[in-house]
Amino acid sequence: MKWVFDNKASDIFWCTADVGWVTGHSYITYGPLAVGATEVVFEGVPTYPDAGRFWKVIQDHKVNVFYTAPTAIRSLIKAGGDLPKKYDLSSLRILGTVGEPINPEAWMWYHETVGNGRCPIVDTWWQTETGGHMITPLPGATPTKPGSATLPLPGIFADIVDETGHPVGKGKGGILVIKKPWPSMLRTIWGDPDRYLKTYWPDEFGKKLYLAGDGASTDEDGYFRIVGRIDDVLNVSGHRLGTMEIESALVAHKTLVAEAAVVGRPDELTGEAVCAFVVLKRSLPTGEEAQKIAKELRDWVGKEIGAIAKPKDIRFGDNLPKTRSGKIMRRLLRAIAKGEQITQDVSTLENPAILEQLRQVR
């Protein structure tokens, strides 16, 4: 809280997360209380009564440090990309993102439109299990790169290894691990210590490396780029594809796509097929028009990544299933893609009705 948000006694801090999720625990409750921060706590959704809600709160309460999710950022771009310019956001000095990797296009909009090109963005990687930030820039001290969480915090020893636990080296992708203990780490699973060891300290790594469950890569500067959950890596005809990579390619289509979420579903021919759920920057298409747009997006992904990454199934919706704090519930999308009944609890969803809309193949 102190380092990553450069907390000062004069700051007004605002984390928009749902307090029921770990970001709400750590950065609405524990972190701000521990350093005696002054903070905004709000209830509601980013788009009610209109899509200017976040910007009005920042303006009215002179927020200095603003911490939100990439999903919320992308939905606000769709709702009104120029809206922040109508508000006085000059109090802002640090912006933050949390919850999932942020695609470079959304990062640039956040930096230029919300931060007016002058606010450092702290793109924070951490987990419920880590208790707090692990890989993140320190504002003003770490040069940033769009879409990169940059470097581990001092005292955090992160690495990227192959499936046998050996480091892959700079410029390559693999499995994200932590090599040494840290103060806020998960230490057991209630009533099931064996599951804790099996899940987080696997035998393949000699029980000496903490398995984060995320895939990542580093560049020539040693900067980490998180590509998403290991179980979000699709195996299409023997090719390993990260869902985040395909989502970023879809969102890079500036004229058509506002948001996208990609999951896999079983396929007899290719093993797994790419299924994309897309929110457009225009009204919902139907019939031939939907097929035409879907073809354009498939061709676009083929050009950006390669033919193997083209989504087999593209579904359009007015929105994606999200919690009130803006986190996409991908497990629900996996169930829809597979044609399964949704038996999970959906009480935390902001928009349960969207599930039925996404079931429709247009």
Side-chain angles (χ1 to χ4, degrees), residues 169-336:
K170 287 183 181 178
K172 295 181 180 176
I175 300 164
L176 182 61
V177 296
I178 310 297
K179 298 192 289 185
K180 293 186 179 182
W182 64 97
S184 60
M185 64 185 285
L186 177 77
R187 287 181 282 179
T188 189
I189 292 175
W190 178 258
D192 200 347
D194 290 338
R195 182 182 169 200
Y196 168 71
L197 289 172
K198 184 180 176 185
T199 303
Y200 296 101
W201 305 91
D203 290 335
E204 295 89 334
F205 298 166
K207 295 197 181 299
K208 292 182 179 179
L209 298 172
Y210 168 83
L211 175 67
D214 279 329
S217 63
T218 52
D219 63 15
E220 65 282 356
D221 296 320
Y223 274 36
F224 285 75
R225 188 175 296 274
I226 312 300
V227 297
R229 301 293 297 165
I230 294 170
D231 51 15
D232 284 342
V233 174
L234 310 181
N235 193 331
V236 181
S237 300
H239 295 264
R240 290 170 68 81
L241 300 167
T243 55
M244 184 65 197
E245 185 183 14
I246 304 170
E247 288 173 13
S248 287
L250 285 163
V251 175
H253 196 303
K254 290 186 169 60
T255 58
L256 274 180
V257 180
E259 288 185 87
V262 169
V263 298
R265 63 170 172 77
D267 186 90
E268 287 183 9
L269 186 63
T270 59
E272 271 190 296
V274 178
C275 183
F277 295 86
V278 175
V279 179
L280 296 173
K281 291 181 176 178
R282 42 146 292 168
S283 58
L284 209 60
T286 56
E288 286 185 14
E289 188 182 25
Q291 293 172 19
K292 183 181 174 184
I293 293 173
K295 182 183 183 306
E296 183 176 343
L297 292 178
R298 283 191 189 93
D299 292 344
W300 171 263
V301 171
K303 182 172 78 71
E304 292 286 297
I305 302 175
I308 198 73
K310 288 183 178 182
K312 188 165 188 176
D313 186 5
I314 295 182
R315 302 189 188 197
F316 300 108
D318 292 320
N319 211 322
L320 298 170
K322 298 174 190 171
T323 65
R324 290 174 186 85
S325 58
K327 192 177 181 74
I328 299 172
M329 301 288 277
R330 283 178 170 78
R331 60 184 169 82
L332 300 178
L333 294 178
R334 288 190 198 99
I336 292 172

Side-chain angles (χ1 to χ4, degrees), residues 70 73-74 77 101-112 121 123 145-148 225-226 244-245 247-249 251-252 254:
I73 293 167
R74 287 191 290 267
I77 293 171
I102 182 168
N103 55 297
E105 288 75 20
W107 192 101
M108 290 304 299
W109 178 86
Y110 197 33
H111 183 254
E112 292 170 2
I121 295 177
D123 174 1
K145 298 181 183 182
S148 171
R225 188 175 296 274
I226 312 300
M244 184 65 197
E245 185 183 14
E247 288 173 13
S248 287
V251 175
K254 290 186 169 60

Side-chain angles (χ1 to χ4, degrees), residues 153-175:
L153 277 175
I156 303 299
F157 296 85
D159 203 354
I160 298 173
V161 300
D162 61 21
E163 286 161 356
T164 63
H166 292 96
V168 298
K170 287 183 181 178
K172 295 181 180 176
I175 300 164

Side-chain angles (χ1 to χ4, degrees), residues 81-113:
D82 291 328
L83 260 182
K85 294 175 182 176
K86 296 181 180 178
Y87 296 84
D88 179 6
L89 306 183
S90 60
S91 61
L92 288 172
R93 66 182 192 88
I94 293 172
L95 301 172
T97 69
V98 58
E100 61 185 336
I102 182 168
N103 55 297
E105 288 75 20
W107 192 101
M108 290 304 299
W109 178 86
Y110 197 33
H111 183 254
E112 292 170 2
T113 306

